[in-house]
Amino acid sequence: MAADGVRYTQITLGEILELPVVRRGLPTLLHGSDDITREVTWVHVGEFPEPEGLLRGGELVLTTGMGMGTKAVSQRRWIRLLAEQQASALFIELGLVFKRRVPRVIVESCIDHDLPLVVLRREVAFVEITRAVTELALTRRAAVTWHAGEVQAYLTEMVLSGRSTTEVLDALAMQIGAPVAFETGAGELIYCASGPFPGERALDALDYRRRHLDRDTEGVGTFVAPLPGTVRSAGRLVVLGVERSPDDFQRVALQHAAGVIALEQLNLRHADQLQFRTRGALLSDLAAGREAEEDISRRAGLLGFPPAPRVVMPFVLRRRRSAEVRDQVWHDIAAGIREVCSARGIPSLVGLTSAEILGLAAFGTVDEKAAFDRVADAVHAVLGRYGLDERSVVIAFAGIGQGWKGAGDGLRRAIRGAGAAQSAPPLRWHDARQAGVRGLLYDLRDRTELLEFAREQLAGLGPQVDRTGALRETLRVYVEAHGRKAAAARTLHLDRTALYGRLRRIEQYLGIDLEDSATRLALEIAFAVLVMEDDVG
């Protein structure tokens, strides 16, 4: 399918002058013979003495001159107001106001404001001109829509036959006769299809867009069509003007093509996410012991994991509530971990659940510490791409297991340990087997009595006495340092005098003695519980 080289634009002044109904009026172009290619958006009858605010730009104004007045000053002002509203042209019909000719002051004003002026020497019903231009516009729009629909159908057929995004974009650029760039939502180039132009000319147009993003120059322009729907932020298509700015056909065709590309990208992303959710479901079933080892082994083999690994190391990632890691980034992290592990020779099975990234890594040795470090290095390499580290994401290991039962037991411990580590100080990775009291609290997190206890411990440090939260943060650091004032002062970047002053105020507000170890333990438990409940700060 091809567009046969036909270009579609707005209606021009020259086309309107050739309409039969206009020709019957014996039109004479008094000014603007060089501007007959000027585009006309609409036709407006202007018989008002004050035309200010009537136009939106690009209109052809029809008048008998009734609203202009008889004095030169009012006529000049009338023309100036049309020009300021970016009228495309002015048609004046002789006979009613101006008998045989248009006053010289009107012609000069049109020249001064570069407003094309046409005189109709024979009477023509303005409604007939308006109707003819409307019919021409509808015919032009129907042709544009039909040809753009043909392009859309052609590209859709390509997608359905399995052609790649780059092939689809190359075809689009050839169909519309202009280069097309595929960019991310942030404007980063993904691919540029040069179409019928040499590659260097397309890149020149792209470079112009980058250097003059919010500017327009005659003969060089762009048109942007964001990918619609839920993937709008993921990218956009841009038609690059090389010899002229994009025309109607190119604009409409690009909008249709954006929908096709969006559908393809959405399908690819949906399929990818579905795969990770499928792996996550398998790992969740493994941790819960919901399926026999034989069935787990078969499912894992279909997903690309060794069906009978000798040594398996489970690992779990959880987002900290204080870190805003978007779902799409979380998915990309899971995909990145799988890719990096594969590149480093570590067979892995990585999946997503609503709360975690679950993973299994297969090893041929039982050097536990070395296995932890290898996987942790791979995970942190991926997190670093997104500016994340242990302060944003918890990584938990639970030892090496033998066979699928050992893997399931370890994965269950790692899930628990990752949840418990939410309230622990950031570490490069956490050993879920050492969750201790935090693990117990995580198991009891749904008990209302535990949450009530935690809130009661800190009730005296409400916003009415601790507006900035400084006292609450000081207390948290102090109890997590197990009462070591020097360590707490270093963490808070305070001198000891300032720290001692804050601690005395905390004791007064809470009515407690911070030297008492049992009191500090109760407070440490309270902070751990509230972090798990996302109730701190």
Side-chain angles (χ1 to χ4, degrees):
M1 176 264 162
D4 298 328
V6 179
R7 296 184 63 85
Y8 299 88
T9 64
Q10 296 275 4
I11 298 170
T12 66
L13 175 58
E15 289 178 307
I16 292 177
L17 289 172
E18 293 299 319
L19 290 173
V21 64
V22 175
R23 299 299 298 170
R24 288 204 306 269
L26 301 179
T28 301
L29 188 63
L30 297 186
H31 170 67
S33 59
D34 294 333
D35 287 330
I36 61 172
T37 59
R38 183 175 291 197
E39 294 179 346
V40 175
T41 59
W42 196 243
V43 177
H44 190 87
V45 178
E47 302 288 21
F48 303 97
E50 293 292 333
E52 188 173 8
L54 294 178
L55 308 181
R56 296 183 179 180
E59 291 92 340
L60 185 155
V61 178
L62 300 172
T63 184
T64 62
M66 291 178 58
M68 290 185 178
T70 59
K71 295 182 179 181
V73 63
S74 63
Q75 292 170 350
R76 287 195 187 97
R77 183 175 185 275
W78 203 88
I79 298 297
R80 177 175 57 81
L81 290 174
L82 291 189
E84 287 177 352
Q85 295 176 80
Q86 299 181 341
S88 185
L90 174 63
F91 280 30
I92 300 177
E93 184 185 85
L94 299 180
L96 182 61
V97 176
F98 308 121
K99 301 302 181 182
R100 294 185 178 181
R101 63 183 179 85
V102 173
R104 183 64 187 171
V105 65
I106 293 177
V107 178
E108 290 175 350
S109 294
C110 287
I111 293 173
D112 291 341
H113 293 286
D114 194 26
L115 179 64
L117 173 62
V118 175
V119 170
L120 298 176
R121 301 187 178 280
R122 182 183 296 169
E123 181 179 344
V124 178
F126 286 171
V127 67
E128 293 183 18
I129 296 178
T130 302
R131 182 184 299 117
V133 173
T134 301
E135 291 174 353
L136 178 60
L138 291 174
T139 301
R140 180 66 50 80
R141 174 55 59 182
V144 167
T145 302
W146 185 84
H147 282 286
E150 288 285 281
V151 172
Q152 181 183 24
Y154 178 67
L155 299 180
T156 301
E157 184 179 349
M158 291 184 68
V159 170
L160 294 176
S161 64
R163 308 295 286 274
S164 68
T165 300
T166 56
E167 290 176 303
V168 173
L169 291 172
D170 286 336
L172 170 63
M174 291 300 297
Q175 292 295 322
I176 67 175
V180 174
F182 183 23
E183 299 178 345
T184 67
E188 298 172 346
L189 180 66
I190 298 173
Y191 183 74
C192 183
S194 60
F197 294 96
E200 59 269 18
R201 294 195 66 186
L203 293 177
D204 286 344
L206 184 62
D207 181 63
Y208 177 88
R209 167 175 165 74
R210 297 300 171 86
R211 289 186 289 108
H212 306 277
L213 190 61
D214 296 320
R215 295 168 55 188
D216 190 20
T217 299
E218 185 178 355
V220 181
T222 63
F223 177 73
V224 179
L227 269 61
T230 58
V231 294
R232 179 179 297 273
S233 62
R236 59 199 180 205
L237 298 183
V238 183
V239 59
L240 303 168
V242 175
E243 297 177 340
R244 57 179 295 171
S245 295
D247 57 35
D248 283 358
F249 167 68
Q250 292 169 337
R251 293 166 184 255
V252 177
L254 196 76
Q255 290 172 331
H256 288 348
V260 175
I261 297 296
L263 180 61
E264 181 193 27
Q265 296 296 303
L266 184 62
N267 284 339
L268 290 173
R269 182 165 294 165
H270 177 71
D272 193 31
Q273 289 181 342
L274 183 59
Q275 286 181 328
F276 277 96
R277 294 293 178 185
T278 301
R279 297 185 188 107
L282 165 63
L283 295 172
S284 295
D285 289 344
L286 176 62
R290 283 191 285 262
E291 287 202 29
E293 290 188 37
E294 180 180 346
D295 294 332
I296 290 290
S297 180
R298 186 182 301 113
R299 289 172 62 189
L302 292 172
L303 293 173
F305 193 70
R310 187 167 64 88
V311 177
V312 180
M313 191 197 72
F315 60 94
V316 173
L317 278 68
R318 279 188 76 103
R319 293 172 277 195
R320 291 188 185 274
R321 290 186 175 90
S322 59
E324 296 182 359
V325 183
R326 294 183 294 108
D327 288 343
Q328 184 55 52
V329 172
W330 197 235
H331 164 267
D332 293 342
I333 289 171
I337 291 172
R338 186 169 182 266
E339 292 170 2
V340 172
C341 284
S342 176
R344 297 185 180 187
I346 306 172
S348 65
L349 182 64
V350 182
L352 282 169
T353 69
S354 58
E356 302 113 346
I357 293 175
L358 307 180
L360 296 179
F363 291 95
T365 65
V366 290
D367 186 344
E368 193 170 76
K369 178 64 166 55
F372 286 176
D373 287 336
R374 284 188 67 189
V375 174
D377 288 345
V379 171
H380 279 284
V382 177
L383 294 179
R385 300 175 185 173
Y386 304 93
L388 304 175
D389 57 21
E390 59 269 18
R391 292 168 295 183
S392 309
V393 177
V394 169
I395 308 171
F397 299 109
I400 286 179
Q402 300 291 329
W404 288 112
K405 185 179 186 309
D409 293 342
L411 194 56
R412 186 164 54 252
R413 287 194 299 271
I415 293 171
R416 175 176 180 263
Q422 292 270 63
S423 61
L427 295 175
R428 184 171 174 79
W429 53 264
H430 296 262
D431 190 335
R433 298 167 298 184
Q434 299 175 5
V437 173
R438 294 180 191 276
L440 176 62
L441 295 177
Y442 182 75
D443 292 338
L444 299 175
R445 65 190 182 281
D446 293 330
R447 298 289 294 269
T448 57
E449 300 91 341
L450 189 62
L451 182 58
E452 289 173 0
F453 165 80
R455 288 174 174 167
E456 288 173 359
Q457 297 301 305
L458 299 169
L461 290 182
Q464 67 275 12
V465 299
D466 186 23
R467 294 180 180 178
T468 65
L471 295 181
R472 196 173 173 111
E473 177 64 10
T474 298
L475 180 58
R476 183 189 67 79
V477 172
Y478 175 72
V479 298
E480 288 183 356
H482 306 297
R484 297 193 298 273
K485 295 183 177 66
R490 285 194 300 272
T491 301
L492 293 166
H493 303 292
L494 294 174
D495 59 46
R496 290 198 179 192
T497 301
L499 176 65
Y500 293 164
R502 288 188 183 183
L503 293 179
R504 283 195 298 271
R505 291 171 61 196
I506 290 170
E507 288 178 326
Q508 292 171 0
Y509 287 133
L510 295 183
I512 59 174
D513 178 8
L514 289 175
E515 294 297 324
D516 179 59
S517 59
T519 298
R520 293 197 303 272
L521 176 60
L523 290 168
E524 187 174 1
I525 290 173
F527 277 111
V529 170
L530 292 176
V531 167
M532 292 177 191
E533 294 295 329
D534 199 22
D535 198 52
V536 168

